[in-house]
Amino acid sequence: MYKEITDPKRIVIKVGTTTLIYPNGNINLASIDELAFVLTDLQNRGKEVILVSSGAIGVGLNQLQLNQRPFSIPQQQAVAAVGQAELMDIYNQRFQVYSQQTAQILLTRDIIEFPESRNNVINTLEELLAMGIIPIINENDTVAVDELDHLTKFGDNDRLSTIVSELTRAELLIMLSDIDGFYSDNPLKNKQAKLHRRITKIDDELMKQAGASNNQFGTGGMSSKLKAAKRVLDVNGSMVLANGKRPKIIFDILKGAEVGTLFKGESF
């Protein structure tokens, strides 16, 4: 059992696009509803919960009835603007069913790196948590760019979730993806691939085992998740990578069940 992560007070949960969008591009309302139920129940237990959510472009593609992600940055940002509004509408609707208040926070990298605005973000998050409100965080895709010396992008929400964990001093980061954990190879192509249950250190050999993302609706792959996990380990944090197909898996994780991959240093 993962006994060392069974009683965290403050938890950051990151959901990928594949948890929110079906492979055919339609919105997975059942998954979003289950996620709202789980996070509200954790809040009712006295936990402090922060949700980092991908999915703006995926939802935008669905709303605009587009079957593939646009190539140009302005088009992607326009799709994200449509999708972010719709995604928050869905979240608000589903959380309200369980009488849970949420709040939206959109971030860019420059805001985090500028000391005064960084403190403002921390203060806002702390106040929301103190009020029993679940913050829902996403990168501000409509204005974020990554050009020359004007860097505003985090790169992906995997990295963003680790930064949020650091800012809020969360005790646990749960990253929900479309795979059961971190494997020695792509399990969809190699049936002999082995699931790593615990990882205490990330080296070059592990990085070689991470593949690229094949999902047209999202941006993160196993490589980005491994880089995120390394950042967590570097600050002596804890992270679990698990399959988000069934959001109630969060309950199993917090019971100490050995599901997914636990990233935690050897100090435990």
Side-chain angles (χ1 to χ4, degrees), residues 13-185:
I13 295 164
K14 187 267 177 179
V15 291
T17 300
T18 53
T19 299
L20 309 175
I21 305 292
Y22 286 115
N24 63 8
N26 289 328
I27 301 171
N28 190 337
L29 296 175
S31 182
I32 295 175
D33 183 76
E34 185 173 314
L35 182 65
F37 168 79
V38 171
L39 300 196
T40 300
D41 187 74
L42 294 182
Q43 192 78 13
N44 289 343
R45 298 183 193 184
K47 306 291 186 184
E48 294 176 333
V49 181
I50 301 170
L51 176 63
V52 177
S53 176
S54 298
I57 289 183
V59 173
L61 292 173
N62 177 265
Q63 285 294 107
L64 297 172
Q65 299 182 355
L66 300 175
N67 56 17
Q68 66 178 7
R69 188 187 184 103
F71 291 103
S72 76
I73 296 299
Q75 286 178 318
Q76 290 183 27
Q77 291 175 322
V79 171
V82 172
Q84 188 62 40
E86 178 63 17
L87 180 58
M88 280 307 302
D89 278 347
I90 296 171
Y91 272 134
N92 284 331
Q93 181 189 59
R94 300 324 302 162
F95 274 99
Q96 285 176 7
V97 169
Y98 304 108
S99 302
Q100 175 60 53
Q101 182 66 52
T102 59
Q104 179 186 42
I105 298 180
L106 297 176
L107 298 176
T108 51
R109 180 172 153 186
D110 54 342
I111 290 175
I112 296 301
E113 293 183 348
F114 187 64
E116 185 173 353
S117 58
R118 178 189 178 96
N119 287 335
N120 288 338
V121 170
I122 293 173
N123 291 338
T124 299
L125 286 169
E126 291 291 345
E127 189 63 29
L128 288 171
L129 293 174
M131 297 170 66
I133 297 170
I134 295 179
I136 300 179
I137 302 175
N138 195 357
E139 182 167 7
N140 193 347
D141 292 323
T142 61
V143 300
V145 295
D146 196 349
E147 298 176 353
L148 301 176
D149 60 344
H150 189 61
L151 299 175
T152 63
K153 283 186 66 62
F154 292 102
D156 54 63
N157 279 333
D158 294 335
R159 183 181 180 191
L160 174 58
S161 66
T162 66
I163 292 174
V164 170
S165 296
E166 292 172 22
L167 291 177
T168 59
R169 299 182 181 179
E171 296 156 78
L172 177 64
L173 168 61
I174 297 175
M175 194 173 291
L176 299 182
S177 183
D178 59 350
I179 196 166
D180 293 337
F182 186 76
Y183 283 83
S184 59
D185 196 2

Side-chain angles (χ1 to χ4, degrees), residues 219-255:
T219 57
M222 291 310 298
S223 178
S224 73
K225 288 168 179 55
L226 207 57
K227 290 176 182 177
K230 185 178 186 305
R231 182 165 183 148
V232 171
L233 291 177
D234 286 345
V235 296
N236 297 317
S238 303
M239 169 180 147
V240 173
L241 173 63
N243 197 318
K245 183 178 181 180
R246 185 181 65 90
K248 286 183 180 178
I249 196 173
I250 294 170
F251 290 148
D252 298 330
I253 293 170
L254 296 180
K255 289 178 181 177

